[in-house]
Amino acid sequence: VKVKFSNEKSGSNFDYVISTIPLTILTKTLGYNYEHPLRFRSMILGFFSFNKPKISDYHWIYTPSKDLCFTRVTEFCRLKGAGMAPEGKTCICLEIPCFKEDKKWNSPDKETIEMMRIDLIKMGLISKDDEFNATIVKQEYEYPLQVIGFLEMVKDIIEKSIKPIQNLVTIGRQGLYKYCNMNECMEMALDVV
C-alpha cells in the first residue's frame, strides 16, 4: 500500500496499513463514493475538575432526561488505583451527543460549560459555589448510527473497497462502523498484530 501524506509529494510504501479512519471517510479516500445513509453521531465532552474528593458514589450516571444537556456523567476517581484524579480532587466527563450541524456543536465552549454546570447543580451533584476548571473537547466520529440494513451495507462496502487491497486492514469502532467498546477494540488490535 502506498500512502501519501499532506506534506509529501510522492507518498510512502508500507507492507501493511492498519486503519482506524472512519469507514465512510476511508472509502472516499480510496475513490469510492457509495450512496448510503451511514453516518456517525458526534460528541461534545466536558471535562471538569473540582476541589473535593467526589461528587457522587457512582462511576457512571446516565441521564436520559430532556431537561439535562448531557446524557452521561463519568467520575474518574471511581476507577480505584488508576490515578485518574489528583489526591483529594475529583474529575468528571459529561457527554453531549449531537451532530456537527447542531446548535450545541457550534456553541462557544464557555456557553457549553455554563450549561453543563447549571445541569450539575440541578442534579444536586455540585453547588453553585463549587470552584472548578473545565475544558471542552469535540469528537466528530464517535458513534456509528445503526440504521435499518446497516450491517449489510457495511459488509458490502468492506467487500468491494477494503478486501481487494490485501495489505489494508480497517479496525475499531470507526474503521468497521461497529458499535464496540474499548476492550473489543484492543482485542481487534491484538488480533491484527
Side-chain angles (χ1 to χ4, degrees):
V1 172
K2 189 170 198 170
V3 177
K4 185 176 179 186
F5 298 96
S6 61
N7 63 350
E8 289 183 331
K9 288 185 179 175
S10 61
S12 302
N13 289 312
F14 295 93
D15 294 333
Y16 284 93
V17 171
I18 301 167
S19 173
T20 58
I21 296 171
L23 183 64
T24 52
I25 303 294
L26 179 61
T27 54
K28 282 182 185 170
T29 303
L30 294 171
Y32 295 90
N33 204 2
Y34 295 103
E35 290 294 323
H36 57 71
L38 302 180
R39 70 190 290 215
F40 288 85
R41 193 94 156 116
S42 300
M43 186 74 73
I44 300 169
L45 304 169
F47 293 94
F48 286 67
S49 63
F50 296 94
N51 291 320
K52 55 186 183 179
K54 67 177 187 170
I55 65 164
S56 79
D57 292 327
Y58 305 100
H59 175 65
W60 287 297
I61 301 172
Y62 289 87
T63 58
S65 169
K66 291 182 180 181
D67 296 332
L68 300 171
C69 66
F70 47 81
T71 57
R72 181 166 68 174
V73 180
T74 303
E75 189 164 14
F76 299 112
C77 67
R78 298 285 159 230
L79 296 169
K80 297 290 182 205
M84 300 292 287
E87 189 69 35
K89 296 185 178 189
T90 192
C91 298
I92 63 170
C93 177
L94 306 172
E95 301 176 18
I96 299 176
C98 61
F99 292 108
K100 207 175 158 188
E101 59 271 13
D102 291 350
K103 182 182 176 195
K104 288 178 187 178
W105 180 270
N106 294 293
S107 293
D109 290 356
K110 194 172 181 177
E111 283 180 24
T112 305
I113 289 168
E114 181 59 14
M115 186 171 53
M116 290 175 161
R117 185 187 76 84
I118 288 167
D119 284 355
L120 285 169
I121 293 167
K122 271 191 222 171
M123 289 179 68
L125 294 175
I126 65 169
S127 75
K128 62 179 176 140
D129 299 323
D130 280 335
E131 292 181 16
F132 67 93
N133 289 311
T135 190
I136 297 293
V137 175
K138 295 178 180 179
Q139 297 290 327
E140 192 173 339
Y141 299 95
E142 204 62 22
Y143 289 101
L145 289 180
Q146 299 178 344
V147 297
I148 294 173
F150 85 96
L151 289 173
E152 294 79 8
M153 286 180 243
V154 169
K155 183 179 179 197
D156 185 56
I157 289 169
I158 290 174
E159 291 287 330
K160 288 180 180 169
S161 58
I162 308 296
K163 278 199 173 179
I165 306 170
Q166 299 208 350
N167 52 354
L168 171 64
V169 178
T170 184
I171 63 170
R173 178 184 285 189
Q174 289 78 11
L176 289 173
Y177 198 87
K178 180 180 181 180
Y179 186 91
C180 52
N181 292 316
M182 195 61 183
N183 63 311
E184 294 169 292
C185 292
M186 295 300 289
E187 287 170 15
M188 284 181 215
L190 291 171
D191 287 345
V192 168
V193 171

